[in-house]
Amino acid sequence: VMTQSPGTLSLSPGERATLSCRASQSVSSSYLAWYQQKPGQAPRLLIYAASSRATGIPDRFSGSGSGTDFTLTISRLEPEDFAVYYCHQSGSLVGRTFGQGTKVEIK
Amino acid sequence: QITLKESGPTLVRPTQTLTLTCTFSGFSLNTSGVGVGWMRQPPGKALEWCALIYWDDEKRYSPTLRSRLTITKDTSKNQVVLRMTNMDPVDTATYYCAHRPYRKGPYDYWGQGTLVTVSS
């Protein structure tokens, strides 16, 4: 089971965002990804293998972590970054493989 | 350029079977390691992984949905089909298909999604 915190993050443009994803069992870093989803749109892959940016993703997005604790950091929020973010583990089918999401909203 | 598109009914009656088709381009399901997965998202809720099929016809299902799901592929048509039996209003969701470039990898390209409503 993947658990994300906080549920909602209220920040201003230019601020740093730190999103957490915790697994109930250890997850290989190779199998941890982060997605961004805006209203009415499909999810977009941001980070895979815990820390590798997908093609075209700005370097203000970074991922880190290992074992059961993973973090997505947005160094300086741009207006287009306000969205919902999901972590996902693909190493096991047991339990919820997507986190429940963190909404980053404009303060 | 990889693209995927979901198609199927927008309204399904309770107890009926849902059949969704994912039609893709820009890759082949004959390519080693490649897979196509299905996810769904009830309105206002989180993503839920449903099923996955790989190039070699290996199939994986969500443990909670396994008894109701069947996933198949038609490589000649570049399509993946998901069938879900005994539909219930709680299955109302946007259903997405997505490309997986290698086993246990991320989903790097997604379809636009299709909203399926289950109602009598």
Side-chain angles (χ1 to χ4, degrees):
Chain A
V1 176
M2 308 301 286
T3 302
Q4 292 184 241
S5 62
T8 302
L9 203 49
S10 298
L11 296 168
S12 300
E15 289 194 294
R16 181 184 188 90
T18 303
L19 287 67
S20 175
C21 176
R22 176 162 289 179
S24 57
Q25 300 179 32
S26 183
V27 173
S28 169
S29 297
S30 299
Y31 307 144
L32 195 287
W34 289 92
Y35 298 87
Q36 176 194 66
Q37 188 179 33
K38 297 179 181 179
Q41 297 185 16
R44 178 174 71 144
L45 176 65
L46 296 176
I47 301 287
Y48 65 97
S51 60
S52 296
R53 273 187 300 276
T55 303
I57 301 304
D59 61 6
R60 64 180 181 273
F61 291 92
S62 63
S64 62
S66 64
T68 59
D69 291 299
F70 297 89
T71 300
L72 174 70
T73 301
I74 311 171
S75 59
R76 293 174 309 280
L77 283 165
E78 297 288 339
E80 62 267 29
D81 299 337
F82 291 92
V84 179
Y85 293 84
Y86 294 96
C87 62
H88 174 240
Q89 67 84 10
S90 53
S92 168
L93 294 180
V94 178
R96 185 176 61 213
T97 59
F98 283 94
Q100 75 274 37
T102 290
K103 182 179 182 180
V104 178
E105 65 175 22
I106 300 176
K107 187 175 181 180
Chain B
Q1 179 191 1
I2 290 176
T3 64
L4 305 96
K5 188 172 184 179
E6 307 85 354
S7 60
T10 57
L11 178 64
V12 175
R13 306 300 182 191
T15 76
Q16 286 187 333
T17 294
L18 170 68
T19 301
L20 293 173
T21 301
C22 176
T23 303
F24 56 84
S25 63
F27 68 95
S28 171
L29 258 179
N30 283 323
T31 301
S32 178
V34 171
V36 172
W38 284 94
M39 277 64 66
R40 69 178 182 176
Q41 185 173 38
K45 297 188 177 181
L47 292 162
E48 178 185 14
W49 179 81
C50 298
L52 167 66
I53 190 165
Y54 284 111
W55 69 285
D56 58 359
D57 211 37
E58 178 183 346
K59 301 168 187 177
R60 292 285 182 261
Y61 296 102
S62 163
T64 58
L65 297 172
R66 164 181 287 274
S67 63
R68 300 170 54 209
L69 291 178
T70 304
I71 189 169
T72 58
K73 63 181 175 68
D74 186 332
T75 52
S76 66
K77 294 182 179 179
N78 281 353
Q79 291 181 334
V80 171
V81 174
L82 183 72
R83 293 180 71 251
M84 181 179 292
T85 61
N86 195 25
M87 293 292 285
D88 183 272
V90 299
D91 297 312
T92 293
T94 296
Y95 287 76
Y96 296 99
C97 63
H99 170 265
R100 174 173 270 188
Y102 51 88
R103 268 192 170 81
K104 296 191 176 182
Y107 290 100
D108 55 357
Y109 292 92
W110 293 62
Q112 65 190 23
T114 185
L115 176 61
V116 177
T117 301
V118 184
S119 174
S120 56

